[in-house]
Amino acid sequence: MVLKEIRNQKPIIHCMTNYVVANFQANGLLAVGASPIMAEHFEEMADVSKITDALLLNIGTIRDSLCHSMIFAGQLANSLNKPVVLDPVGIGVSTFRQEFIHALLQKVQFTAIRCNASELASLAQIDCVSHGIDAGVIDFSVPKTAMDVALKYNTIVCVSGETDYITNGYLLSEIPGGTKKLTEITGAGCLLGALCTAACASSKDVFHSLVHLHEEYKNIATIAANNCEGIGDFQADLLNQLKYKANEVLS
Ligand code: ATP
Ligand code: TZP
Ligand code: MG
Ligand code: MG
């Protein structure tokens, strides 16, 4: 249903994102009927915030100019009551990323934070060694920590992995399943973050929309994995399946 809502609403999604996945995110958003716009310059944030329905802040390849633009865009979206989603990619990798994200969390109210388990640990200031930008060994309770972070920042926390956890601090959904092939391509998490942003823009019941989105994403990925031998084909078929699913729920 969440994909139907996105298709009906056709939200314009402002993605401030990393250069690794920008194209994949744009194609994934188009596949479900949303309209992506990638825009970063500080001077255009005011105009862009007026014409977009939701904002994604993904710090995967963060740099100076983007820091200022992200804070400004986040505050503009807050003042216009438009949803803002944070993907704190690799927050634990550098002190710079940690300090930037903690500053951002003081200045911008997020509708949802989407992350992997190591990124969740950094948000909660729990010691956890990540594997570069990927999740490392997890020796803490992911659902409990996600609930704590959701309460602390008054937001919805979506943690991805073999099992996904979605919580607003009070309600908690666990979503098993999916395919390991999702871990073999870059951008599976970042695309999910872009789709979360579209879901936030398209539904009044954001929590349940995010739960359904995570379920549908795992299901779609499983279909794509069964269709494909290699990861190149898998990445392309993930986009195909997103579009098929979004169209199927329309009819
Ligand atoms: P990482 O940087 O650690 O790869 P990410 O930001 O790419 O994290 P993932 O945790 O890989 O995000 O999540 C992306 C998608 O992959 C989600 O739909 C998640 O449910 C799925 N996923 C991740 N790991 C597994 C797994 N072991 N089995 C099944 N699905 C998985
Ligand atoms: N380096 C910086 S951002 C990025 C890489 C490889 C993409 C990460 O995407 P994902 O969705 O977390 O795999
Ligand atoms: Mg991944
Ligand atoms: Mg990620």
Side-chain angles (χ1 to χ4, degrees):
M1 292 307 269
V2 58
L3 295 180
K4 180 179 182 179
E5 284 172 330
I6 295 171
R7 271 209 92 80
N8 285 343
Q9 297 292 325
K10 299 183 175 36
I12 303 173
I13 306 302
H14 180 190
C15 300
M16 302 182 78
T17 192
N18 68 75
Y19 55 71
V20 183
V21 306
N23 178 273
F24 191 45
Q25 288 175 319
N27 277 311
L29 287 168
L30 284 170
V32 299
S35 292
I37 172 167
M38 278 57 179
E40 298 183 352
H41 201 287
F42 188 88
E43 295 297 331
E44 60 179 354
M45 290 301 100
D47 288 339
V48 172
S49 68
K50 285 183 204 146
I51 57 146
T52 48
D53 297 303
L55 171 67
L56 169 68
L57 301 183
N58 173 313
I59 66 152
T61 49
I62 192 71
R63 53 201 176 277
D64 267 357
S65 59
L66 199 46
C67 290
H68 301 299
S69 295
M70 279 187 173
I71 292 170
F72 188 36
Q75 292 176 329
L76 285 164
N78 280 171
S79 70
L80 295 167
N81 282 321
K82 295 180 180 179
V84 191
V85 173
L86 174 66
D87 193 334
V89 179
I91 174 179
V93 164
S94 68
T95 304
F96 178 78
R97 284 183 198 228
Q98 278 170 42
E99 289 178 354
F100 175 63
I101 288 293
H102 285 109
L104 198 56
L105 284 163
Q106 300 308 314
K107 293 178 178 163
V108 176
Q109 172 63 48
F110 288 95
T111 313
I113 302 174
R114 196 222 70 82
C115 57
N116 68 33
S118 292
E119 291 156 354
L120 174 70
S122 282
L123 289 171
Q125 292 172 318
I126 292 171
D127 277 340
C128 169
V129 181
S130 61
H131 188 75
I133 59 151
D134 294 328
V137 177
I138 305 304
D139 56 3
F140 59 97
S141 166
V142 172
K144 184 186 178 311
T145 308
M147 291 179 90
D148 291 345
V149 171
L151 287 176
K152 179 170 180 188
Y153 293 111
N154 186 27
T155 191
I156 298 169
V157 172
C158 308
V159 190
S160 58
E162 190 171 350
T163 300
D164 295 339
Y165 298 94
I166 318 294
T167 180
N168 58 9
Y170 304 97
L171 303 172
L172 173 73
S173 271
E174 293 187 24
I175 302 152
T179 167
K180 278 202 159 179
K181 274 213 173 82
L182 281 167
T183 67
E184 295 171 7
I185 59 168
T186 191
C190 292
L191 174 53
L192 181 56
L195 295 171
C196 286
T197 315
C200 289
S202 305
S203 168
K204 291 199 173 69
D205 184 353
V206 171
F207 177 79
H208 289 102
S209 280
L210 290 173
V211 172
H212 292 141
L213 175 68
H214 282 71
E215 288 168 351
E216 287 184 10
Y217 196 70
K218 274 186 180 285
N219 290 340
I220 284 164
T222 304
I223 296 169
N226 290 336
N227 284 347
C228 306
E229 210 31 49
I231 54 167
D233 292 348
F234 171 69
Q235 189 189 31
D237 205 48
L238 197 55
L239 297 178
N240 293 337
Q241 297 306 326
L242 271 177
K243 181 151 189 168
Y244 296 149
K245 185 72 185 173
N247 286 337
E248 171 197 310
V249 294
L250 261 187
S251 55

